[in-house]
Amino acid sequence: MFSKETYTSRRAALRKLLQGEKGIAVFIGNAEAPAQYRDNCYKFRQDSTWLYYFGIDEPRFASVIDLEDGTETIFADDVSIDDIIWMGPQPSVAQQAAEAGVAHSAAYSGLGSAVGKALAQGRPVHTIPPSRYYNTLKLKELGIDGQPSEALIRAIIAMRLVKTPEEIAELDAAGVLGQKMHTVARKGIRPGRVEQEIVGEMEGVTLSEGWGVSFPTILTQHGEVFHNHGHAGVIEPGKLMVVDAGAETNSHYASDFTRTYPTGGKYSPRQRDIYQIVYDCHELAFSLIRPGVRYSDVHLAVARLMLDRLGQLGLVKGDLDEMVAAGVAGLFMPHGLGHNMGLDVHDMEDLGEDLVGYDTDQLRSKQLGLGSLRMARRLVAGNVITDEPGIYFIPDLVELWKKEGRPFVNYAALAEGYYDFGGIRLEDDVLVTGDGARRLGGTRLPASPDEIEAAMAADRA
Amino acid sequence: MFSKETYTSRRAALRKLLQGEKGIAVFIGNAEAPAQYRDNCYKFRQDSTWLYYFGIDEPRFASVIDLEDGTETIFADDVSIDDIIWMGPQPSVAQQAAEAGVAHSAAYSGLGSAVGKALAQGRPVHTIPPSRYYNTLKLKELGIDGQPSEALIRAIIAMRLVKTPEEIAELDAAGVLGQKMHTVARKGIRPGRVEQEIVGEMEGVTLSEGWGVSFPTILTQHGEVFHNHGHAGVIEPGKLMVVDAGAETNSHYASDFTRTYPTGGKYSPRQRDIYQIVYDCHELAFSLIRPGVRYSDVHLAVARLMLDRLGQLGLVKGDLDEMVAAGVAGLFMPHGLGHNMGLDVHDMEDLGEDLVGYDTDQLRSKQLGLGSLRMARRLVAGNVITDEPGIYFIPDLVELWKKEGRPFVNYAALAEGYYDFGGIRLEDDVLVTGDGARRLGGTRLPASPDEIEAAMAADRA
């Protein structure tokens, strides 16, 4: 938890952004999430917006902020003697509220009364979209499961998009831990091992020093499958291993890195050719990041460089402007260049991707790839984003485009030489500074093909 | 997944147990559980009853069994081209249903139609209690969130209480992995280290070789706090470290072991005295386990031995029969002697503790300790249970009993010498065999005070 002043001033800033709005704002912290049954739960993860404004990292807390008179109340239950036996002595709710700078507290059931009173008086009740099924149920139970409040959502996004120095310190720490995970992974990659063994080693590191993983670890020899969470594969020589993983600190800030390793320690010439394109796209993006630049434009600059270079390999052919406009890069990179990161690895995704990632004058593309871009906004200092270009050869997708007769693509060359290639992605976490950008997380992980081969040779020495 | 025949015959046995019941039985597999937002989820864990009867370890599956004509249908959605990009080619729902021996399949939305049709025809719809908030919402949405079916619940419990040889093999494997976690813990305990570091190392092992932990790891120098999931403590010399942890295999069977280590490698005389009582209680329980014995009687035999021995230490005083009857043991062991274990570490707890753990002629006690007993039934071969006595000194609880004027307890001796003691627990997993019992999980972890001190000395050598 940060200091009381941090939370007090954040809530004051939120109320200021919402000046003129009537009614109350309701914040529902998370409950425990059952894995098998109600008393056997996953590791507790608090709601990120709750953490941001109240900091209390315990289940079943809620709060109401009166937007008109500024009164703040936290609702949660004090522990009973039974709870003391099972969970030990706990600070009172009033004490916890005081640590967050909140003057009033009441039993959890008081939330229902507070909301009911506001509804009876015809006052607006501002809510955010539920991030979990528990919250969905709770909103239904409170009778406020209608439209979330766009005013409240926009105010929260405006604040959380710009990280403060104390948040940046946490994000750097998350970066250091995430890079430690990746180093464990790189050292663990050896033909004959099972992928799951390495995943366990990586995740053990995050649990020893942090909350755990910031998202389910991707470690796969099928990099062309983006969200491949199976880890039963045996590592084969000559393959590419995509490792996309990050850590969450005990304070719940995230990191998110991707590296793509040659399973045998050396890239084949064909692998190196594609890797070099991805690497150059990554570096180009990093060089363009600065306040005032639209990240959608950085995505498009990457698409242009990628198509130009794929053209040099004979995999696409045509006018570069036309290919960029037609979204041909989406065949090779069907995802966006990056996303916001903070308390969530895709920061605030529960609040709505478009509201978080697009300025009010930006429309989301419908093209494959660019349409998946989660962060398109004009960058401002304090934004934390990922820079993660990739090139993938997805046979089903290539065949679909071929069937649809889409131009510019050398389908024969792809079918002949790339259907067993897999994919390559390279990702770092980037802070937008006053005049440019810096990578988060201390010493950068090896990133270029030469750096990676040298590191793997040293690991094996 | 086991063979198709396993699931087919389990469902046939279930239908046979429900012979004469009208209507349909509905089974709802789990959805992904969001950690922060809908697309960032905890590691997927399937519903255990679903796993038992259908085996398919994927989210958003459901099924209906017609109890009258025996028709079985699985409801789930096939993947789209978008899903193929993000998750790779997937087997069709029809293929997955066939692997579970189910002839019919339909889209997930078909579940609503099937239930709606049965309701419209006035046919009974049998459900089990929801284990997660998603299932609660789903039952509401289907209009079947009323009373779960006791007939269905009892039939499932009757089957799952008695483990088959293929399940026992999985439980042994879970035991081996759980013991490996514990060995890592024992080797990691050193004054000056932070508890969380060891927890991470233990959990890394379970993730490398299995699904993960079967419940949140307890590793604490405050053993008197049962569900202490904070791990920020620095290990101090002279303390007792309770480690209660287990693994879940990739096939989702659980283990659950507890050991209590002296943080410096040697028990103090007072620690050893209490440990020896717990150890002897544990061994007594194990010696009594055999078919036909009520596990509640084993709990009471342990309570008697514990009180007798605490009497020898001068901590309680009075007639042994009277003390047992008055539940004095509950002050020192406010939990039950053990629980069923299988696909869940507290097996089937979502189906109702009393239905699972009590024969129809048994009433649950209201006494502290015995009242928390989760498994009281007459044992039968194939039951898998835990044997986990413990002794704790919980200052708040002792003070409460003192204030209430409860007899038999030497409050002065407890206040003088034991308020900083903590607690000791010792737990193994036990299979009820045809004529007795055997411990699960291969080579037993060191358990007696001498064995533990010898192992810790060897670790440090």
Side-chain angles (χ1 to χ4, degrees):
Chain A
M1 228 177 140
F2 296 125
S3 71
K4 176 165 72 175
E5 288 65 35
T6 295
Y7 301 104
T8 306
S9 66
R10 284 179 182 171
R11 292 192 306 271
L14 181 70
R15 288 201 311 274
K16 199 168 167 199
L17 283 171
L18 291 168
Q19 219 159 19
E21 292 288 339
K22 302 287 179 197
I24 63 173
V26 174
F27 298 85
I28 300 176
N30 283 340
E32 297 267 15
Q36 289 103 331
Y37 48 88
R38 291 291 159 99
D39 282 339
N40 195 10
C41 293
Y42 286 110
K43 189 167 182 178
F44 179 67
R45 178 45 161 89
Q46 184 56 287
D47 177 78
S48 296
T49 295
W50 174 272
L51 279 176
Y52 188 80
Y53 289 107
F54 299 94
I56 302 168
D57 197 4
E58 298 286 336
R60 289 186 187 268
F61 273 70
S63 76
V64 165
I65 299 179
D66 191 309
L67 298 178
E68 294 165 64
D69 70 13
T71 310
E72 300 171 334
T73 311
I74 277 183
F75 300 92
D77 291 327
D78 277 314
V79 297
S80 66
I81 177 72
D82 278 357
D83 296 325
I84 288 172
I85 294 175
W86 292 93
M87 307 187 301
Q90 306 285 328
S92 72
V93 171
Q95 279 172 296
Q96 290 175 291
E99 280 169 35
V102 174
H104 307 279
S105 65
Y108 197 55
S109 60
L111 175 65
S113 323
V115 169
K117 190 174 157 194
L119 291 174
Q121 294 172 335
R123 301 180 72 199
V125 177
H126 298 263
T127 61
I128 60 176
S131 55
R132 291 182 170 190
Y133 298 111
Y134 170 78
N135 306 55
T136 303
L137 271 168
K138 196 75 194 161
L139 291 176
K140 267 187 205 296
E141 181 192 316
L142 294 168
I144 49 175
D145 58 332
Q147 196 61 24
S149 161
E150 191 171 324
L152 177 59
I153 293 169
R154 285 196 182 277
I156 293 169
I157 290 171
M159 292 183 67
R160 286 180 57 190
L161 271 180
V162 181
K163 274 67 181 176
T164 61
E166 63 192 346
E167 290 190 280
I168 292 164
E170 292 296 331
L171 287 159
D172 264 320
V176 169
L177 186 52
Q179 302 204 138
K180 197 164 173 180
M181 285 173 77
H182 273 266
T183 302
V184 165
R186 192 192 67 227
K187 291 184 177 175
I189 294 171
R190 291 277 196 298
R193 295 195 76 198
V194 177
E195 293 166 352
Q196 184 178 348
E197 294 169 20
I198 303 171
V199 173
E201 292 164 8
M202 294 168 72
E203 299 197 356
V205 168
T206 66
L207 291 161
S208 277
E209 299 186 32
W211 180 81
V213 295
S214 56
F215 59 98
T217 297
I218 296 167
L219 185 145
T220 178
Q221 295 166 89
H222 287 281
E224 79 282 9
V225 177
F226 295 166
H227 285 180
N228 188 338
H229 298 307
H231 300 129
V234 176
I235 299 176
E236 293 171 34
K239 303 284 266 183
L240 292 167
M241 175 73 84
V242 172
V243 182
D244 185 348
E248 180 170 318
T249 60
N250 284 327
S251 61
H252 305 294
Y253 281 84
S255 63
D256 182 3
F257 299 98
T258 308
R259 290 293 183 273
T260 303
Y261 298 103
T263 52
K266 285 269 182 196
Y267 297 102
S268 72
R270 198 183 53 159
Q271 289 170 344
R272 190 176 258 268
D273 283 347
I274 301 296
Y275 194 112
Q276 193 65 46
I277 301 176
V278 174
Y279 180 78
D280 292 342
C281 287
H282 179 99
E283 296 296 311
L284 171 67
F286 183 69
S287 74
L288 296 173
I289 296 173
R290 75 176 72 88
V293 170
R294 277 191 293 247
Y295 208 46
S296 51
D297 287 339
V298 181
H299 177 107
L300 287 168
V302 161
R304 169 177 293 270
L305 175 61
M306 190 179 287
L307 288 168
D308 191 23
R309 298 282 293 277
L310 289 171
Q312 289 168 24
L313 293 181
L315 300 181
V316 295
K317 192 170 68 178
D319 179 82
L320 200 50
D321 287 331
E322 286 178 27
M323 287 198 289
V324 171
V328 177
L331 175 63
F332 304 95
M333 184 172 104
H335 62 69
L337 180 63
H339 49 81
N340 286 287
M341 201 184 70
L343 283 161
D344 307 312
V345 64
H346 290 173
D347 211 20
M348 302 175 273
E349 190 157 298
D350 52 328
L351 299 182
E353 274 189 37
D354 288 359
L355 292 176
V356 172
Y358 288 75
D359 288 323
T360 47
D361 62 350
Q362 291 180 310
L363 267 186
R364 192 160 179 160
S365 164
K366 293 193 190 308
Q367 278 179 351
L368 188 64
L370 185 56
S372 290
L373 185 62
R374 288 189 165 89
M375 171 57 171
R377 285 176 181 264
R378 286 168 193 84
L379 300 172
V380 301
N383 286 162
V384 168
I385 54 179
T386 63
D387 167 10
E388 48 174 316
I391 294 179
Y392 317 86
F393 299 93
I394 307 168
D396 286 297
L397 184 60
V398 174
E399 289 293 319
L400 181 68
W401 278 39
K402 185 181 169 190
K403 206 175 110 193
E404 293 174 354
R406 299 213 197 186
F408 304 115
V409 180
N410 185 341
Y411 294 104
L414 290 175
E416 196 182 304
Y418 290 86
Y419 276 10
D420 64 346
F421 184 94
I424 291 174
R425 182 165 62 256
L426 175 59
E427 176 183 23
D428 283 330
D429 303 330
V430 179
L431 169 69
V432 182
T433 61
D435 59 354
R438 80 163 173 86
R439 293 194 173 88
L440 290 165
T443 312
R444 191 185 185 196
L445 289 167
S448 74
D450 288 344
E451 287 167 1
I452 286 178
E453 288 185 355
M456 293 184 84
D459 295 341
R460 284 156 166 70
Chain B
M1 233 180 136
F2 296 125
S3 70
K4 175 165 73 176
E5 288 65 35
T6 294
Y7 301 104
T8 306
S9 66
R10 284 178 183 171
R11 292 193 305 271
L14 181 71
R15 288 202 310 273
K16 199 167 167 198
L17 283 171
L18 291 169
Q19 218 159 22
E21 293 288 339
K22 302 287 178 197
I24 62 173
V26 174
F27 298 86
I28 299 177
N30 284 339
E32 298 267 15
Q36 288 104 331
Y37 48 86
R38 290 291 158 98
D39 281 340
N40 195 11
C41 293
Y42 287 110
K43 190 168 181 177
F44 179 66
R45 179 42 160 92
Q46 184 56 288
D47 178 78
S48 295
T49 296
W50 174 272
L51 279 176
Y52 188 80
Y53 289 108
F54 299 94
I56 302 167
D57 197 4
E58 297 286 337
R60 290 186 188 266
F61 273 70
S63 76
V64 166
I65 298 179
D66 190 309
L67 298 178
E68 293 166 65
D69 70 13
T71 309
E72 300 171 334
T73 310
I74 278 183
F75 301 92
D77 290 328
D78 278 314
V79 298
S80 66
I81 178 71
D82 277 358
D83 296 324
I84 289 173
I85 295 175
W86 291 94
M87 306 188 303
Q90 307 284 327
S92 72
V93 171
Q95 279 172 295
Q96 290 175 291
E99 280 170 35
V102 174
H104 306 279
S105 64
Y108 197 55
S109 60
L111 175 65
S113 323
V115 169
K117 190 174 155 193
L119 290 175
Q121 294 172 338
R123 301 180 73 199
V125 177
H126 298 262
T127 61
I128 60 176
S131 55
R132 291 181 170 191
Y133 298 111
Y134 170 78
N135 306 54
T136 302
L137 272 167
K138 195 76 195 162
L139 291 176
K140 268 187 204 296
E141 181 192 316
L142 293 168
I144 50 175
D145 57 332
Q147 196 61 25
S149 162
E150 190 172 323
L152 177 59
I153 293 169
R154 285 196 182 278
I156 293 169
I157 290 171
M159 292 183 66
R160 286 180 57 190
L161 272 180
V162 182
K163 273 67 180 175
T164 60
E166 61 191 346
E167 290 189 281
I168 292 164
E170 293 296 331
L171 286 159
D172 264 321
V176 169
L177 186 52
Q179 302 204 138
K180 197 163 172 180
M181 285 173 77
H182 273 265
T183 302
V184 165
R186 192 191 68 227
K187 291 184 177 177
I189 294 171
R190 291 276 195 298
R193 295 195 76 198
V194 176
E195 293 166 352
Q196 184 179 348
E197 294 169 20
I198 302 172
V199 173
E201 290 165 8
M202 294 168 73
E203 299 196 357
V205 168
T206 65
L207 290 161
S208 277
E209 298 187 31
W211 181 80
V213 295
S214 56
F215 59 99
T217 297
I218 295 167
L219 185 144
T220 179
Q221 296 166 88
H222 287 281
E224 79 282 9
V225 177
F226 294 166
H227 286 179
N228 188 338
H229 298 306
H231 300 130
V234 176
I235 300 176
E236 294 171 33
K239 303 286 265 183
L240 292 167
M241 176 72 84
V242 172
V243 182
D244 185 348
E248 180 170 318
T249 60
N250 284 327
S251 61
H252 304 294
Y253 281 84
S255 63
D256 181 4
F257 298 98
T258 308
R259 291 293 183 272
T260 304
Y261 299 103
T263 51
K266 285 269 182 196
Y267 297 102
S268 72
R270 199 183 53 158
Q271 289 170 344
R272 188 177 259 268
D273 283 346
I274 300 296
Y275 194 111
Q276 192 65 47
I277 300 177
V278 174
Y279 179 77
D280 292 343
C281 288
H282 179 98
E283 296 297 309
L284 171 68
F286 183 69
S287 74
L288 295 173
I289 296 173
R290 76 177 70 89
V293 170
R294 276 190 293 247
Y295 208 47
S296 52
D297 287 339
V298 181
H299 177 108
L300 286 168
V302 161
R304 170 176 294 268
L305 176 62
M306 190 180 287
L307 289 168
D308 191 23
R309 298 282 292 278
L310 289 171
Q312 290 168 24
L313 292 181
L315 300 181
V316 296
K317 191 169 71 179
D319 179 80
L320 200 50
D321 287 331
E322 286 177 28
M323 287 198 288
V324 171
V328 177
L331 175 62
F332 304 95
M333 184 172 104
H335 63 68
L337 180 63
H339 50 80
N340 287 287
M341 200 185 70
L343 283 161
D344 307 311
V345 65
H346 290 174
D347 212 20
M348 301 175 275
E349 190 157 299
D350 52 327
L351 299 181
E353 274 190 37
D354 288 359
L355 292 176
V356 172
Y358 288 75
D359 288 323
T360 47
D361 62 351
Q362 292 180 309
L363 267 187
R364 193 160 178 160
S365 164
K366 294 192 190 309
Q367 278 178 351
L368 188 64
L370 184 56
S372 290
L373 184 63
R374 289 189 165 89
M375 171 56 170
R377 284 176 181 264
R378 287 167 193 84
L379 301 172
V380 300
N383 286 161
V384 168
I385 54 180
T386 62
D387 167 10
E388 49 173 317
I391 294 180
Y392 317 86
F393 299 93
I394 307 169
D396 286 297
L397 184 60
V398 174
E399 289 294 319
L400 181 69
W401 278 40
K402 185 181 170 190
K403 204 175 112 194
E404 292 174 355
R406 298 214 197 185
F408 305 116
V409 180
N410 185 342
Y411 294 104
L414 290 176
E416 196 181 303
Y418 290 86
Y419 276 10
D420 63 346
F421 184 95
I424 290 173
R425 182 164 62 255
L426 175 60
E427 175 183 25
D428 282 331
D429 303 330
V430 179
L431 169 69
V432 182
T433 60
D435 58 355
R438 79 164 173 86
R439 293 194 173 88
L440 290 165
T443 311
R444 190 185 185 196
L445 289 167
S448 73
D450 287 344
E451 287 167 0
I452 286 178
E453 288 185 355
M456 293 184 85
D459 294 341
R460 284 157 165 70

